[in-house]
Amino acid sequence: MKNIKFTKSDAFYKKVLKLIPTASQTFSKSAIQYSKGASPLFLDKGKGAFVWDVDGNKYIDYVGALLPIILGYNDKDVNNAIIKQLKKGISFSLPTTLELDLAQLIVDYIPCAEMVRFAKNGSDATSAAIRLARAYTGKDVIAVSGYHGWHDWYIGTTSRSLGVPKKVTQFTKSFEFNNIESFKKLLSDNKNNVAGVMIEPESGVPANKRFLKELRNITKKKNIILIFDEIVTGFRVHFSGAQAKYKIIPDLACYGKSLANGMPLSVITGKKNIMKLMDDIFFSGTFNGEALSIAAGIATLKKLKRLDVTNEIIEHGRFLKQEIKILISKYKLEEFIQITGENWRPYFIIKNMDILVTTLFRQTCVKHGILICSGFNLSYSHIKPEVKKKFQISFEKVFHEMNKILHSPNPKKFLKGELIKPIFEVRKTIPKKNEK
Ligand SMILES: Cc1ncc(COP(=O)(O)O)c(C=O)c1O
């Protein structure tokens, strides 16, 4: 058995907590998602499909920085683009010509894209989109289905709403994905005041085409701006996003995450007549045109297109799912763990979302050199034969050990670190009680 140690990670965590609340800048990258004492909490470097923690342990990384890493860590072509631009400068007093180059690629590749603006985070883009929808329609209410970032207008509608005045969120209403009746009810509850509807066009489950079609028809008829939040689906469910996969063209769309292989960059794009209102609303950021990220975005999109990365990843996801299914069955774990999800992002379902089983599973993955959260955030680097081989060897060990643990009279005694904490449910799209 491998004796993996987290001495530096644990010591560092104690120090960091004194200076940095949550000891992380990103909720889902914090210690709540990893078993303290039995997982790394800080990473040092990455290359291809692998990362190394601060104790020098090496893992296949299936978190991918929460999806931005679509080519792999430290990608040669993206690095070269960044280095070339770095020699010229990072942020400037006027726009650079790179902005036009990237805008042109977005317009060429994304069906709804006629004009483009850049930002840093997905939340910037989603908030800009709803401002545009309100400005364009003169209405107030935004209907949502999915997770759309940390800003008041959205997060105030979730259980993590501390610090958000209730009044701010009275104009954001949630409805159930794939349930057109729930959207129609929202419309009738809010009469003629719905400005826009923002959905994650694929979120754990595929979209029902009829649902999307009806949503498109109703929004067109009622002068409601249809916005696809493609922050996750972008360049992953289809190279051009879910709008290309489902052939439903929204009015506006937001992209981020995988756009620049880890550099901070997001996009809001869509119909010219709506995007032109950017001239009149206020949407502005000191770093929105920062040149290294734009250069990285250009290099990433060109490479994704050239190597047909999206389809390669989808095919690899199909392979992973098959392999995992075989192992789950071989080690008689069906009653505890299942693998599901679309091939672009297979994920595990732990029965009853049992925290003990989830923690034991992640702890066992870490022990055998796998860093993973709920599922597989894949990159082009995972497809390499040596990574595939390592995946097979490591997961064979993981499931072999999980069989021993979960079929023992007291699985809890195998716990090496602390239990992870359940993440707050953001993608539960059923309206809350008393919510109109
Ligand atoms: C669908 C979706 N929209 C928006 C966001 C917000 O993006 P960011 O965290 O870059 O602000 C996320 C982040 O996970 C997301 O998954």
Side-chain angles (χ1 to χ4, degrees), residues 142-146 173-186 196-199 211 215 226 427-431 435:
I142 302 293
V144 293
S145 168
K173 309 283 181 186
S174 51
F175 68 100
E176 195 178 351
F177 186 61
N178 274 344
N179 181 347
I180 200 68
E181 293 310 317
S182 123
F183 179 65
K184 284 182 184 166
K185 170 146 186 356
L186 188 154
V197 46
M198 179 176 283
I199 61 166
F211 163 76
L215 197 61
L226 180 61
R427 287 185 170 86
K428 205 173 199 169
T429 48
I430 300 158
E435 191 183 3

Side-chain angles (χ1 to χ4, degrees), residues 153 172 183 211 218 257 260:
W153 70 271
T172 305
F183 179 65
F211 163 76
I218 297 171
K257 295 223 189 231

Side-chain angles (χ1 to χ4, degrees), residues 281-405:
I281 64 165
F282 194 72
F283 173 61
S284 176
T286 304
F287 295 114
N288 285 0
E290 171 268 309
L292 299 191
S293 297
I294 307 246
I298 294 168
T300 303
L301 287 191
K302 285 187 173 168
K303 192 162 182 180
L304 293 182
K305 178 83 175 160
R306 182 164 49 86
L307 300 177
D308 196 17
V309 167
T310 307
N311 285 323
E312 293 279 348
I313 288 177
I314 290 171
E315 181 51 29
H316 184 61
R318 195 186 57 76
F319 160 81
L320 289 192
K321 253 165 77 178
Q322 259 176 5
E323 295 282 304
I324 296 283
K325 266 186 194 153
I326 292 168
L327 288 172
I328 288 174
S329 163
K330 178 174 172 185
Y331 291 106
K332 301 187 173 33
L333 292 164
E334 293 99 330
E335 63 171 301
F336 305 102
I337 302 172
Q338 287 167 19
I339 182 92
T340 186
E342 294 298 287
N343 292 338
W344 63 275
R345 196 188 189 193
Y347 63 92
F348 290 104
I349 296 184
I350 306 288
K351 197 178 170 204
N352 300 330
M353 292 171 74
D354 188 303
I355 288 295
L356 175 63
V357 178
T358 308
T359 308
L360 287 166
F361 183 55
R362 289 194 193 163
Q363 162 193 303
T364 310
C365 284
V366 160
K367 181 177 161 188
H368 295 295
I370 296 163
L371 193 67
I372 195 161
C373 259
S374 55
F376 292 94
N377 293 346
L378 297 171
S379 78
Y380 193 61
S381 297
H382 289 112
I383 296 163
K384 289 191 173 155
E386 66 270 24
V387 182
K388 272 171 127 168
K389 191 86 212 134
K390 177 116 179 66
F391 153 83
Q392 285 169 316
I393 293 169
S394 304
F395 270 104
E396 181 85 39
K397 289 182 188 162
V398 167
F399 284 107
H400 178 266
E401 195 164 329
M402 287 306 287
N403 168 289
K404 214 175 63 190
I405 294 172

Side-chain angles (χ1 to χ4, degrees), residues 228-281:
F228 278 8
D229 175 346
E230 301 240 34
I231 305 289
V232 166
T233 53
F235 318 106
R236 288 193 175 266
V237 304
H238 181 289
F239 171 62
S240 301
Q243 55 188 279
K245 173 174 172 180
Y246 293 102
K247 300 189 172 53
I248 297 288
I249 312 303
D251 301 303
L252 295 174
C254 305
Y255 288 73
K257 295 223 189 231
S258 314
L259 173 60
N261 200 46
M263 288 296 276
L265 188 64
S266 60
V267 153
I268 166 163
T269 186
K271 301 276 161 58
K272 198 174 212 157
N273 53 344
I274 307 170
M275 287 296 292
K276 275 292 283 173
L277 269 180
M278 284 284 190
D279 292 340
D280 303 322
I281 64 165

Side-chain angles (χ1 to χ4, degrees), residues 26 28 66-67 120-126 146-151 198-202 229-233 254 256-257 265-266 345 427:
T26 313
S28 301
L66 299 175
L67 282 169
K120 293 280 113 197
N121 296 292
S123 306
D124 304 343
T126 56
Y147 172 66
H148 306 300
W150 73 272
H151 292 179
M198 179 176 283
I199 61 166
E200 276 186 85
E202 209 178 293
D229 175 346
E230 301 240 34
I231 305 289
V232 166
T233 53
C254 305
K257 295 223 189 231
L265 188 64
S266 60
R345 196 188 189 193
R427 287 185 170 86

